[in-house]
Amino acid sequence: MIVRRAKAGDERGMAEVHIRSWKTTYRGIVSDHYLDSMKADEREELWRKGISKTEAFVAEDKGEVAGFANGGPERSGDYQEYDGELYAIYLLEECQGKGAGRELVRQVAIALKKAGFRSLLVRVLRNNPSCHFYEALGGIRIGEEKIEIGGALHEEWVYGWPELNVLCDKGGVK
């Protein structure tokens, strides 16, 4: 598996990974109706914009997009000590646990550091079984928020890294 900067032409693969990973990760957390209504065409358009306006990277497995991550400036303004945000990271279930997620986060962190960012946060659904992933990367829980998905309120945990450097160093990403 290789991790590289996302480029035009990756949008469809990113959309399919986005939907498949939501269905495997959030089934039983988010309503089935919402998950079943997700459309690749809508997500493809989202990622067409996301590639050009964010720091976006994909993980490729045998020439196919198997995961991706993107980030940029922290969007809410609610966490003054954090200037960067990991907006999304998704991997196909069969590709998890092989190091691609860590490398995707690392590449986003490196790109944000080069752009002048000093810190990073990420919002994660509280019931997401991957919360331990962010903790293993050294993220500390700095907040809780509510988010509406498919007409239902869900709790998100906010993890932060006060020093972006810890995510940029391959040795720092365990």
PDB file of all heavy atoms in Angstrom, residues 48-84:
ATOM      1  N   ARG A  48     -14.302  16.218  -5.072  1.00  0.00           N
ATOM      2  CA  ARG A  48     -13.733  17.009  -6.164  1.00  0.00           C
ATOM      3  C   ARG A  48     -13.298  18.369  -5.597  1.00  0.00           C
ATOM      4  O   ARG A  48     -12.220  18.856  -5.882  1.00  0.00           O
ATOM      5  CB  ARG A  48     -14.750  17.189  -7.288  1.00  0.00           C
ATOM      6  CG  ARG A  48     -14.196  17.918  -8.503  1.00  0.00           C
ATOM      7  CD  ARG A  48     -15.135  17.837  -9.700  1.00  0.00           C
ATOM      8  NE  ARG A  48     -15.099  16.487 -10.257  1.00  0.00           N
ATOM      9  CZ  ARG A  48     -16.102  15.604 -10.181  1.00  0.00           C
ATOM     10  NH1 ARG A  48     -17.228  15.931  -9.614  1.00  0.00           N
ATOM     11  NH2 ARG A  48     -15.978  14.395 -10.695  1.00  0.00           N
ATOM     12  N   LYS A  49     -14.157  18.952  -4.755  1.00  0.00           N
ATOM     13  CA  LYS A  49     -13.824  20.235  -4.118  1.00  0.00           C
ATOM     14  C   LYS A  49     -12.762  20.030  -3.039  1.00  0.00           C
ATOM     15  O   LYS A  49     -11.879  20.863  -2.870  1.00  0.00           O
ATOM     16  CB  LYS A  49     -15.074  20.856  -3.505  1.00  0.00           C
ATOM     17  CG  LYS A  49     -16.100  21.265  -4.532  1.00  0.00           C
ATOM     18  CD  LYS A  49     -17.381  21.743  -3.859  1.00  0.00           C
ATOM     19  CE  LYS A  49     -18.453  21.999  -4.897  1.00  0.00           C
ATOM     20  NZ  LYS A  49     -19.757  22.234  -4.273  1.00  0.00           N
ATOM     21  N   GLY A  50     -12.861  18.921  -2.290  1.00  0.00           N
ATOM     22  CA  GLY A  50     -11.954  18.663  -1.182  1.00  0.00           C
ATOM     23  C   GLY A  50     -10.509  18.491  -1.603  1.00  0.00           C
ATOM     24  O   GLY A  50      -9.594  18.897  -0.879  1.00  0.00           O
ATOM     25  N   ILE A  51     -10.292  17.908  -2.764  1.00  0.00           N
ATOM     26  CA  ILE A  51      -8.923  17.690  -3.240  1.00  0.00           C
ATOM     27  C   ILE A  51      -8.236  19.028  -3.504  1.00  0.00           C
ATOM     28  O   ILE A  51      -7.086  19.223  -3.137  1.00  0.00           O
ATOM     29  CB  ILE A  51      -8.904  16.801  -4.506  1.00  0.00           C
ATOM     30  CG1 ILE A  51      -9.243  15.360  -4.131  1.00  0.00           C
ATOM     31  CG2 ILE A  51      -7.550  16.871  -5.204  1.00  0.00           C
ATOM     32  CD1 ILE A  51      -9.398  14.442  -5.329  1.00  0.00           C
ATOM     33  N   SER A  52      -8.953  19.949  -4.100  1.00  0.00           N
ATOM     34  CA  SER A  52      -8.314  21.207  -4.482  1.00  0.00           C
ATOM     35  C   SER A  52      -8.244  22.228  -3.356  1.00  0.00           C
ATOM     36  O   SER A  52      -7.406  23.129  -3.394  1.00  0.00           O
ATOM     37  CB  SER A  52      -9.050  21.819  -5.684  1.00  0.00           C
ATOM     38  OG  SER A  52     -10.386  22.140  -5.335  1.00  0.00           O
ATOM     39  N   LYS A  53      -9.090  22.098  -2.341  1.00  0.00           N
ATOM     40  CA  LYS A  53      -9.147  23.120  -1.291  1.00  0.00           C
ATOM     41  C   LYS A  53      -8.563  22.680   0.047  1.00  0.00           C
ATOM     42  O   LYS A  53      -8.566  23.450   1.000  1.00  0.00           O
ATOM     43  CB  LYS A  53     -10.599  23.555  -1.082  1.00  0.00           C
ATOM     44  CG  LYS A  53     -11.171  24.260  -2.291  1.00  0.00           C
ATOM     45  CD  LYS A  53     -12.570  24.742  -2.041  1.00  0.00           C
ATOM     46  CE  LYS A  53     -13.068  25.467  -3.269  1.00  0.00           C
ATOM     47  NZ  LYS A  53     -14.413  25.973  -3.114  1.00  0.00           N
ATOM     48  N   THR A  54      -8.072  21.457   0.135  1.00  0.00           N
ATOM     49  CA  THR A  54      -7.513  20.964   1.392  1.00  0.00           C
ATOM     50  C   THR A  54      -6.200  20.228   1.111  1.00  0.00           C
ATOM     51  O   THR A  54      -5.850  19.987  -0.042  1.00  0.00           O
ATOM     52  CB  THR A  54      -8.490  19.992   2.090  1.00  0.00           C
ATOM     53  OG1 THR A  54      -8.624  18.794   1.306  1.00  0.00           O
ATOM     54  CG2 THR A  54      -9.860  20.616   2.315  1.00  0.00           C
ATOM     55  N   GLU A  55      -5.534  19.865   2.178  1.00  0.00           N
ATOM     56  CA  GLU A  55      -4.374  18.984   2.070  1.00  0.00           C
ATOM     57  C   GLU A  55      -4.931  17.567   2.077  1.00  0.00           C
ATOM     58  O   GLU A  55      -5.404  17.086   3.099  1.00  0.00           O
ATOM     59  CB  GLU A  55      -3.416  19.196   3.243  1.00  0.00           C
ATOM     60  CG  GLU A  55      -2.853  20.598   3.334  1.00  0.00           C
ATOM     61  CD  GLU A  55      -1.919  20.954   2.186  1.00  0.00           C
ATOM     62  OE1 GLU A  55      -1.497  20.053   1.426  1.00  0.00           O
ATOM     63  OE2 GLU A  55      -1.609  22.145   2.054  1.00  0.00           O
ATOM     64  N   ALA A  56      -4.966  16.912   0.916  1.00  0.00           N
ATOM     65  CA  ALA A  56      -5.627  15.611   0.772  1.00  0.00           C
ATOM     66  C   ALA A  56      -4.646  14.562   0.270  1.00  0.00           C
ATOM     67  O   ALA A  56      -3.856  14.816  -0.642  1.00  0.00           O
ATOM     68  CB  ALA A  56      -6.813  15.722  -0.187  1.00  0.00           C
ATOM     69  N   PHE A  57      -4.731  13.368   0.876  1.00  0.00           N
ATOM     70  CA  PHE A  57      -3.853  12.252   0.531  1.00  0.00           C
ATOM     71  C   PHE A  57      -4.692  10.991   0.415  1.00  0.00           C
ATOM     72  O   PHE A  57      -5.720  10.854   1.083  1.00  0.00           O
ATOM     73  CB  PHE A  57      -2.777  12.072   1.611  1.00  0.00           C
ATOM     74  CG  PHE A  57      -1.828  13.228   1.662  1.00  0.00           C
ATOM     75  CD1 PHE A  57      -2.149  14.373   2.380  1.00  0.00           C
ATOM     76  CD2 PHE A  57      -0.640  13.194   0.954  1.00  0.00           C
ATOM     77  CE1 PHE A  57      -1.294  15.468   2.402  1.00  0.00           C
ATOM     78  CE2 PHE A  57       0.225  14.283   0.973  1.00  0.00           C
ATOM     79  CZ  PHE A  57      -0.101  15.422   1.699  1.00  0.00           C
ATOM     80  N   VAL A  58      -4.246  10.073  -0.435  1.00  0.00           N
ATOM     81  CA  VAL A  58      -4.933   8.787  -0.583  1.00  0.00           C
ATOM     82  C   VAL A  58      -3.959   7.654  -0.296  1.00  0.00           C
ATOM     83  O   VAL A  58      -2.746   7.789  -0.474  1.00  0.00           O
ATOM     84  CB  VAL A  58      -5.552   8.585  -1.987  1.00  0.00           C
ATOM     85  CG1 VAL A  58      -6.613   9.633  -2.271  1.00  0.00           C
ATOM     86  CG2 VAL A  58      -4.497   8.580  -3.071  1.00  0.00           C
ATOM     87  N   ALA A  59      -4.528   6.549   0.166  1.00  0.00           N
ATOM     88  CA  ALA A  59      -3.791   5.293   0.296  1.00  0.00           C
ATOM     89  C   ALA A  59      -4.265   4.415  -0.849  1.00  0.00           C
ATOM     90  O   ALA A  59      -5.471   4.242  -1.036  1.00  0.00           O
ATOM     91  CB  ALA A  59      -4.082   4.630   1.635  1.00  0.00           C
ATOM     92  N   GLU A  60      -3.323   3.906  -1.609  1.00  0.00           N
ATOM     93  CA  GLU A  60      -3.624   3.052  -2.751  1.00  0.00           C
ATOM     94  C   GLU A  60      -3.226   1.626  -2.445  1.00  0.00           C
ATOM     95  O   GLU A  60      -2.148   1.380  -1.905  1.00  0.00           O
ATOM     96  CB  GLU A  60      -2.797   3.499  -3.968  1.00  0.00           C
ATOM     97  CG  GLU A  60      -3.526   4.307  -4.956  1.00  0.00           C
ATOM     98  CD  GLU A  60      -2.665   4.572  -6.193  1.00  0.00           C
ATOM     99  OE1 GLU A  60      -1.593   3.948  -6.376  1.00  0.00           O
ATOM    100  OE2 GLU A  60      -3.078   5.410  -6.961  1.00  0.00           O
ATOM    101  N   ASP A  61      -4.106   0.706  -2.804  1.00  0.00           N
ATOM    102  CA  ASP A  61      -3.812  -0.713  -2.681  1.00  0.00           C
ATOM    103  C   ASP A  61      -4.065  -1.336  -4.046  1.00  0.00           C
ATOM    104  O   ASP A  61      -5.191  -1.288  -4.550  1.00  0.00           O
ATOM    105  CB  ASP A  61      -4.706  -1.348  -1.608  1.00  0.00           C
ATOM    106  CG  ASP A  61      -4.342  -2.791  -1.314  1.00  0.00           C
ATOM    107  OD1 ASP A  61      -3.153  -3.137  -1.439  1.00  0.00           O
ATOM    108  OD2 ASP A  61      -5.250  -3.566  -0.968  1.00  0.00           O
ATOM    109  N   LYS A  62      -3.023  -1.852  -4.646  1.00  0.00           N
ATOM    110  CA  LYS A  62      -3.114  -2.467  -5.982  1.00  0.00           C
ATOM    111  C   LYS A  62      -3.725  -1.507  -7.002  1.00  0.00           C
ATOM    112  O   LYS A  62      -4.566  -1.876  -7.813  1.00  0.00           O
ATOM    113  CB  LYS A  62      -3.907  -3.768  -5.919  1.00  0.00           C
ATOM    114  CG  LYS A  62      -3.262  -4.794  -5.010  1.00  0.00           C
ATOM    115  CD  LYS A  62      -4.117  -6.031  -4.870  1.00  0.00           C
ATOM    116  CE  LYS A  62      -3.490  -6.928  -3.837  1.00  0.00           C
ATOM    117  NZ  LYS A  62      -4.435  -7.440  -2.876  1.00  0.00           N
ATOM    118  N   GLY A  63      -3.321  -0.242  -6.925  1.00  0.00           N
ATOM    119  CA  GLY A  63      -3.771   0.759  -7.886  1.00  0.00           C
ATOM    120  C   GLY A  63      -5.141   1.349  -7.629  1.00  0.00           C
ATOM    121  O   GLY A  63      -5.593   2.198  -8.392  1.00  0.00           O
ATOM    122  N   GLU A  64      -5.802   0.929  -6.573  1.00  0.00           N
ATOM    123  CA  GLU A  64      -7.145   1.434  -6.242  1.00  0.00           C
ATOM    124  C   GLU A  64      -7.099   2.238  -4.951  1.00  0.00           C
ATOM    125  O   GLU A  64      -6.347   1.910  -4.034  1.00  0.00           O
ATOM    126  CB  GLU A  64      -8.123   0.267  -6.055  1.00  0.00           C
ATOM    127  CG  GLU A  64      -8.292  -0.612  -7.278  1.00  0.00           C
ATOM    128  CD  GLU A  64      -9.014   0.089  -8.418  1.00  0.00           C
ATOM    129  OE1 GLU A  64      -9.949   0.866  -8.136  1.00  0.00           O
ATOM    130  OE2 GLU A  64      -8.626  -0.133  -9.581  1.00  0.00           O
ATOM    131  N   VAL A  65      -7.923   3.287  -4.869  1.00  0.00           N
ATOM    132  CA  VAL A  65      -8.017   4.064  -3.644  1.00  0.00           C
ATOM    133  C   VAL A  65      -8.631   3.174  -2.568  1.00  0.00           C
ATOM    134  O   VAL A  65      -9.725   2.635  -2.726  1.00  0.00           O
ATOM    135  CB  VAL A  65      -8.863   5.343  -3.843  1.00  0.00           C
ATOM    136  CG1 VAL A  65      -9.070   6.066  -2.514  1.00  0.00           C
ATOM    137  CG2 VAL A  65      -8.203   6.274  -4.857  1.00  0.00           C
ATOM    138  N   ALA A  66      -7.907   3.014  -1.461  1.00  0.00           N
ATOM    139  CA  ALA A  66      -8.367   2.181  -0.349  1.00  0.00           C
ATOM    140  C   ALA A  66      -8.581   3.000   0.917  1.00  0.00           C
ATOM    141  O   ALA A  66      -9.095   2.503   1.912  1.00  0.00           O
ATOM    142  CB  ALA A  66      -7.357   1.071  -0.078  1.00  0.00           C
ATOM    143  N   GLY A  67      -8.179   4.269   0.863  1.00  0.00           N
ATOM    144  CA  GLY A  67      -8.348   5.150   2.008  1.00  0.00           C
ATOM    145  C   GLY A  67      -7.920   6.548   1.640  1.00  0.00           C
ATOM    146  O   GLY A  67      -7.303   6.775   0.604  1.00  0.00           O
ATOM    147  N   PHE A  68      -8.270   7.495   2.501  1.00  0.00           N
ATOM    148  CA  PHE A  68      -7.860   8.871   2.275  1.00  0.00           C
ATOM    149  C   PHE A  68      -7.987   9.663   3.561  1.00  0.00           C
ATOM    150  O   PHE A  68      -8.661   9.256   4.511  1.00  0.00           O
ATOM    151  CB  PHE A  68      -8.671   9.528   1.154  1.00  0.00           C
ATOM    152  CG  PHE A  68     -10.124   9.731   1.482  1.00  0.00           C
ATOM    153  CD1 PHE A  68     -10.566  10.918   2.066  1.00  0.00           C
ATOM    154  CD2 PHE A  68     -11.051   8.742   1.212  1.00  0.00           C
ATOM    155  CE1 PHE A  68     -11.904  11.095   2.373  1.00  0.00           C
ATOM    156  CE2 PHE A  68     -12.384   8.912   1.521  1.00  0.00           C
ATOM    157  CZ  PHE A  68     -12.817  10.099   2.101  1.00  0.00           C
ATOM    158  N   ALA A  69      -7.328  10.821   3.565  1.00  0.00           N
ATOM    159  CA  ALA A  69      -7.424  11.769   4.673  1.00  0.00           C
ATOM    160  C   ALA A  69      -7.237  13.165   4.096  1.00  0.00           C
ATOM    161  O   ALA A  69      -6.570  13.334   3.073  1.00  0.00           O
ATOM    162  CB  ALA A  69      -6.362  11.495   5.729  1.00  0.00           C
ATOM    163  N   ASN A  70      -7.846  14.140   4.778  1.00  0.00           N
ATOM    164  CA  ASN A  70      -7.621  15.521   4.377  1.00  0.00           C
ATOM    165  C   ASN A  70      -7.714  16.433   5.588  1.00  0.00           C
ATOM    166  O   ASN A  70      -8.265  16.059   6.630  1.00  0.00           O
ATOM    167  CB  ASN A  70      -8.565  15.955   3.261  1.00  0.00           C
ATOM    168  CG  ASN A  70      -9.982  16.205   3.719  1.00  0.00           C
ATOM    169  OD1 ASN A  70     -10.519  15.506   4.575  1.00  0.00           O
ATOM    170  ND2 ASN A  70     -10.624  17.196   3.135  1.00  0.00           N
ATOM    171  N   GLY A  71      -7.127  17.611   5.457  1.00  0.00           N
ATOM    172  CA  GLY A  71      -7.132  18.561   6.558  1.00  0.00           C
ATOM    173  C   GLY A  71      -6.875  19.963   6.068  1.00  0.00           C
ATOM    174  O   GLY A  71      -6.593  20.202   4.898  1.00  0.00           O
ATOM    175  N   GLY A  72      -6.977  20.899   7.005  1.00  0.00           N
ATOM    176  CA  GLY A  72      -6.779  22.312   6.717  1.00  0.00           C
ATOM    177  C   GLY A  72      -6.947  23.112   7.992  1.00  0.00           C
ATOM    178  O   GLY A  72      -6.780  22.579   9.092  1.00  0.00           O
ATOM    179  N   PRO A  73      -7.345  24.379   7.855  1.00  0.00           N
ATOM    180  CA  PRO A  73      -7.531  25.215   9.042  1.00  0.00           C
ATOM    181  C   PRO A  73      -8.674  24.703   9.918  1.00  0.00           C
ATOM    182  O   PRO A  73      -9.674  24.193   9.411  1.00  0.00           O
ATOM    183  CB  PRO A  73      -7.895  26.589   8.466  1.00  0.00           C
ATOM    184  CG  PRO A  73      -7.531  26.540   7.028  1.00  0.00           C
ATOM    185  CD  PRO A  73      -7.568  25.109   6.607  1.00  0.00           C
ATOM    186  N   GLU A  74      -8.532  24.853  11.225  1.00  0.00           N
ATOM    187  CA  GLU A  74      -9.601  24.484  12.154  1.00  0.00           C
ATOM    188  C   GLU A  74     -10.817  25.344  11.814  1.00  0.00           C
ATOM    189  O   GLU A  74     -10.725  26.551  11.655  1.00  0.00           O
ATOM    190  CB  GLU A  74      -9.145  24.721  13.603  1.00  0.00           C
ATOM    191  CG  GLU A  74     -10.001  24.017  14.646  1.00  0.00           C
ATOM    192  CD  GLU A  74     -11.280  24.763  15.003  1.00  0.00           C
ATOM    193  OE1 GLU A  74     -11.258  25.997  15.068  1.00  0.00           O
ATOM    194  OE2 GLU A  74     -12.306  24.091  15.206  1.00  0.00           O
ATOM    195  N   ARG A  75     -11.973  24.698  11.678  1.00  0.00           N
ATOM    196  CA  ARG A  75     -13.143  25.358  11.107  1.00  0.00           C
ATOM    197  C   ARG A  75     -14.065  26.059  12.098  1.00  0.00           C
ATOM    198  O   ARG A  75     -14.765  26.985  11.717  1.00  0.00           O
ATOM    199  CB  ARG A  75     -13.976  24.351  10.300  1.00  0.00           C
ATOM    200  CG  ARG A  75     -13.209  23.778   9.127  1.00  0.00           C
ATOM    201  CD  ARG A  75     -13.960  22.694   8.429  1.00  0.00           C
ATOM    202  NE  ARG A  75     -13.900  21.447   9.206  1.00  0.00           N
ATOM    203  CZ  ARG A  75     -14.314  20.275   8.772  1.00  0.00           C
ATOM    204  NH1 ARG A  75     -14.830  20.165   7.578  1.00  0.00           N
ATOM    205  NH2 ARG A  75     -14.220  19.215   9.535  1.00  0.00           N
ATOM    206  N   SER A  76     -14.106  25.641  13.338  1.00  0.00           N
ATOM    207  CA  SER A  76     -15.116  26.184  14.240  1.00  0.00           C
ATOM    208  C   SER A  76     -14.703  27.472  14.953  1.00  0.00           C
ATOM    209  O   SER A  76     -15.550  28.286  15.294  1.00  0.00           O
ATOM    210  CB  SER A  76     -15.493  25.143  15.301  1.00  0.00           C
ATOM    211  OG  SER A  76     -14.452  24.997  16.249  1.00  0.00           O
ATOM    212  N   GLY A  77     -13.421  27.624  15.211  1.00  0.00           N
ATOM    213  CA  GLY A  77     -12.956  28.750  16.009  1.00  0.00           C
ATOM    214  C   GLY A  77     -13.164  28.549  17.497  1.00  0.00           C
ATOM    215  O   GLY A  77     -12.882  29.430  18.304  1.00  0.00           O
ATOM    216  N   ASP A  78     -13.661  27.374  17.891  1.00  0.00           N
ATOM    217  CA  ASP A  78     -13.947  27.090  19.299  1.00  0.00           C
ATOM    218  C   ASP A  78     -12.721  26.642  20.089  1.00  0.00           C
ATOM    219  O   ASP A  78     -12.782  26.563  21.310  1.00  0.00           O
ATOM    220  CB  ASP A  78     -15.024  26.001  19.403  1.00  0.00           C
ATOM    221  CG  ASP A  78     -16.368  26.463  18.881  1.00  0.00           C
ATOM    222  OD1 ASP A  78     -16.611  27.692  18.852  1.00  0.00           O
ATOM    223  OD2 ASP A  78     -17.183  25.598  18.497  1.00  0.00           O
ATOM    224  N   TYR A  79     -11.649  26.328  19.410  1.00  0.00           N
ATOM    225  CA  TYR A  79     -10.452  25.813  20.076  1.00  0.00           C
ATOM    226  C   TYR A  79      -9.273  26.705  19.679  1.00  0.00           C
ATOM    227  O   TYR A  79      -8.520  26.380  18.758  1.00  0.00           O
ATOM    228  CB  TYR A  79     -10.206  24.355  19.677  1.00  0.00           C
ATOM    229  CG  TYR A  79     -11.363  23.462  20.079  1.00  0.00           C
ATOM    230  CD1 TYR A  79     -12.428  23.241  19.212  1.00  0.00           C
ATOM    231  CD2 TYR A  79     -11.406  22.867  21.331  1.00  0.00           C
ATOM    232  CE1 TYR A  79     -13.503  22.445  19.583  1.00  0.00           C
ATOM    233  CE2 TYR A  79     -12.475  22.069  21.712  1.00  0.00           C
ATOM    234  CZ  TYR A  79     -13.521  21.866  20.835  1.00  0.00           C
ATOM    235  OH  TYR A  79     -14.580  21.081  21.214  1.00  0.00           O
ATOM    236  N   GLN A  80      -9.142  27.816  20.380  1.00  0.00           N
ATOM    237  CA  GLN A  80      -8.167  28.844  20.016  1.00  0.00           C
ATOM    238  C   GLN A  80      -6.727  28.339  19.973  1.00  0.00           C
ATOM    239  O   GLN A  80      -5.919  28.855  19.217  1.00  0.00           O
ATOM    240  CB  GLN A  80      -8.276  30.035  20.981  1.00  0.00           C
ATOM    241  CG  GLN A  80      -9.609  30.748  20.905  1.00  0.00           C
ATOM    242  CD  GLN A  80      -9.897  31.313  19.528  1.00  0.00           C
ATOM    243  OE1 GLN A  80      -9.036  31.919  18.907  1.00  0.00           O
ATOM    244  NE2 GLN A  80     -11.103  31.079  19.023  1.00  0.00           N
ATOM    245  N   GLU A  81      -6.409  27.323  20.780  1.00  0.00           N
ATOM    246  CA  GLU A  81      -5.028  26.850  20.795  1.00  0.00           C
ATOM    247  C   GLU A  81      -4.728  25.880  19.655  1.00  0.00           C
ATOM    248  O   GLU A  81      -3.598  25.427  19.518  1.00  0.00           O
ATOM    249  CB  GLU A  81      -4.621  26.204  22.085  1.00  0.00           C
ATOM    250  CG  GLU A  81      -5.447  25.794  23.282  1.00  0.00           C
ATOM    251  CD  GLU A  81      -6.929  25.996  23.424  1.00  0.00           C
ATOM    252  OE1 GLU A  81      -7.379  27.104  23.691  1.00  0.00           O
ATOM    253  OE2 GLU A  81      -7.645  25.002  23.320  1.00  0.00           O
ATOM    254  N   TYR A  82      -5.726  25.551  18.853  1.00  0.00           N
ATOM    255  CA  TYR A  82      -5.550  24.593  17.748  1.00  0.00           C
ATOM    256  C   TYR A  82      -5.856  25.301  16.433  1.00  0.00           C
ATOM    257  O   TYR A  82      -6.960  25.788  16.232  1.00  0.00           O
ATOM    258  CB  TYR A  82      -6.457  23.370  17.931  1.00  0.00           C
ATOM    259  CG  TYR A  82      -6.058  22.566  19.145  1.00  0.00           C
ATOM    260  CD1 TYR A  82      -6.567  22.873  20.408  1.00  0.00           C
ATOM    261  CD2 TYR A  82      -5.133  21.536  19.042  1.00  0.00           C
ATOM    262  CE1 TYR A  82      -6.176  22.162  21.530  1.00  0.00           C
ATOM    263  CE2 TYR A  82      -4.734  20.824  20.161  1.00  0.00           C
ATOM    264  CZ  TYR A  82      -5.257  21.143  21.408  1.00  0.00           C
ATOM    265  OH  TYR A  82      -4.849  20.445  22.510  1.00  0.00           O
ATOM    266  N   ASP A  83      -4.870  25.327  15.546  1.00  0.00           N
ATOM    267  CA  ASP A  83      -5.075  26.033  14.285  1.00  0.00           C
ATOM    268  C   ASP A  83      -5.337  25.104  13.097  1.00  0.00           C
ATOM    269  O   ASP A  83      -5.865  25.534  12.081  1.00  0.00           O
ATOM    270  CB  ASP A  83      -3.920  26.987  13.986  1.00  0.00           C
ATOM    271  CG  ASP A  83      -2.556  26.318  13.941  1.00  0.00           C
ATOM    272  OD1 ASP A  83      -2.442  25.109  14.223  1.00  0.00           O
ATOM    273  OD2 ASP A  83      -1.576  27.027  13.616  1.00  0.00           O
ATOM    274  N   GLY A  84      -4.993  23.824  13.209  1.00  0.00           N
ATOM    275  CA  GLY A  84      -5.221  22.879  12.123  1.00  0.00           C
ATOM    276  C   GLY A  84      -6.263  21.843  12.489  1.00  0.00           C
ATOM    277  O   GLY A  84      -6.544  21.619  13.668  1.00  0.00           O
TER     278      GLY A  84
END
